Structures are given as structure tokens and as C-alpha cells.
Amino acid sequence: MTLESIGLWSSTAGAFAYAVLALVAWPVWRKQRVDSSLVMAPLLTSLQFAVFGNLYDNPPLSLLLPMQLVCTGAWWLAALHLLKRFASIKGSRPLKSGLAAVWLALAGACALIFHYGAGSTEQSVEYVAAVMLVLAVISVMTLEQVYRNVLSAHRRALKLVCLGLFAAFGYELYFAAHALMFRGLDSEMWHARGAAHALAAVLIGAGLLRVQ
């Protein structure tokens, strides 16, 4: 089996896993146990992997970064809901405002990168990787705030949700850091990305089924 075919199957696995996760989250949302963002975020992520399943060999940076921004923003909304619904602290408005400001700043940076151009493909990859790295770091920090402040009664259920999200964004962090350091997207890590996310989606889904 070639590396390209592995990448295709990996992206397909990621798309399928997140589609199933959205189906798992749907009845939990209908029972008003979670917010609709926990349905939309998996759907958007599934769409991302479905699109890249056909572009697995050479992902266009002009598509990769905007989709990453949208998907990460959706997961930030989901994390904020978890903080509001299950955390031991009251009010998530400061964190919400901070994440909104950071997301808008990164979206503006993304627009500037592709409007003015970076001068070379290698330099473009550096800028894209830098934005993706910031997204991943902030995602991990946000999840840490969620899990640290979760009420003990919900910690068992949300432990798996947070662990799955940590795994997903941890992979994105390593992937972006590697791309930034070596000035290019690593093909093997790119091809394995869908499979890694599929495993993370299993943990998230198992955690959502425990939410009461």
C-alpha cells in the first residue's frame, strides 16, 4: 500500500469518525445536555477531512488554513459551553471574549497572508504553520481550563471528552510545530492526521455518551 493510499484511507477514517461523533452528539443535544456546538464542530471537522481526502497529496494552503480556523473556532465554542455547563466557576465571558479576539486576529492574519502573498511557497508554509501552531496552543490551554474547573460529578464523563480533544489538538500542535521548524508540511504526518483524529473522536464520543 502506497503512502498516498494510506493518506486517502486515513482522511476517510477521520471524516467517518467525526460524522459518527456528530450522530452521537445529536441525541445528547436534543435532551439539552450539551450545546449545538458539540454537533456542529464534529460536522465541520468531518467535512474538512472529506475535502482533504481528495487533496491528500498536496493540500492547498489557501484552503487548509481557513478550514482549520473554522473548525477550531467551532471546537472553542464547544469548550466554552462545557465550561459554562459543567465547571465549578461562574461565568466564562472573559475567556469567551479573549478567544473571540484571538480568533478574529488570526483570521485577519490569514487574510493578510493570502492577500499580499508571502513571497515564496516555503515562506507561506511558515506563516500558515505559525497560525496553526497558535490555534493549537490556545486550544490546549482552553481545554486545560475546562477540565481543571469541571465539577467532580461530571469529571468522569468529561475526562474522556477532554482527553480526546487533547489528543486531537496535541497532534495539531506537533504537526504545526514540525512544519514551522522544518519549513514544510511533513507528508507522513499529514497522511496519518485523519487516523489520529479518528482515534480522538472515539474518545470524545465515549465521553459524550456519559454526559448526564
Side-chain angles (χ1 to χ4, degrees):
M1 183 177 290
T2 64
L3 187 61
E4 288 76 13
S5 61
I6 291 174
L8 176 60
W9 284 106
S10 176
S11 295
T12 302
F16 178 76
Y18 277 106
V20 172
L21 177 58
L23 292 176
V24 170
W26 176 265
V28 183
W29 167 64
R30 293 286 293 176
K31 295 177 183 178
Q32 298 183 344
R33 295 175 182 173
V34 297
D35 186 68
S36 60
S37 58
L38 279 165
V39 178
M40 290 304 301
L43 283 176
L44 290 171
T45 309
S46 176
L47 176 63
Q48 181 190 43
F49 283 110
V51 170
F52 287 128
N54 296 317
L55 301 169
Y56 54 86
D57 193 36
N58 187 25
L61 300 179
S62 58
L63 182 62
L64 172 60
L65 186 53
M67 293 193 73
Q68 191 71 6
L69 274 167
V70 171
C71 291
T72 304
W75 283 112
W76 285 1
L77 287 176
L80 287 171
H81 162 72
L82 294 177
L83 184 64
K84 182 179 178 181
R85 173 73 170 79
F86 301 108
S88 57
I89 59 175
K90 291 186 177 181
S92 57
R93 184 169 296 179
L95 180 59
K96 183 178 181 179
S97 300
L99 289 177
V102 170
W103 191 92
L104 289 173
L106 292 175
C110 173
L112 290 174
I113 289 171
F114 296 115
H115 178 71
Y116 292 104
S120 67
T121 302
E122 184 178 277
Q123 199 171 21
S124 297
V125 170
E126 289 184 16
Y127 290 141
V128 169
V131 174
M132 291 179 64
L133 182 61
V134 173
L135 285 170
V137 169
I138 294 176
S139 299
V140 171
M141 292 173 62
T142 302
L143 289 171
E144 186 272 335
Q145 285 293 316
V146 172
Y147 187 71
R148 187 175 66 175
N149 293 288
V150 166
L151 292 167
S152 58
H154 303 290
R155 185 158 293 170
R156 181 172 175 269
L158 294 185
K159 182 177 181 179
L160 288 178
V161 175
C162 291
L163 184 60
L165 289 173
F166 269 123
F169 286 115
Y171 190 90
E172 294 299 311
L173 192 156
Y174 182 70
F175 176 70
H178 187 280
L180 185 60
M181 181 178 296
F182 294 99
R183 299 182 178 181
L185 301 179
D186 183 83
S187 60
E188 292 183 358
M189 291 180 63
W190 174 257
H191 292 316
R193 186 167 174 259
H197 274 266
L199 294 175
V202 172
L203 291 174
I204 299 169
L208 287 178
L209 290 175
R210 294 182 176 184
V211 173
Q212 300 296 327

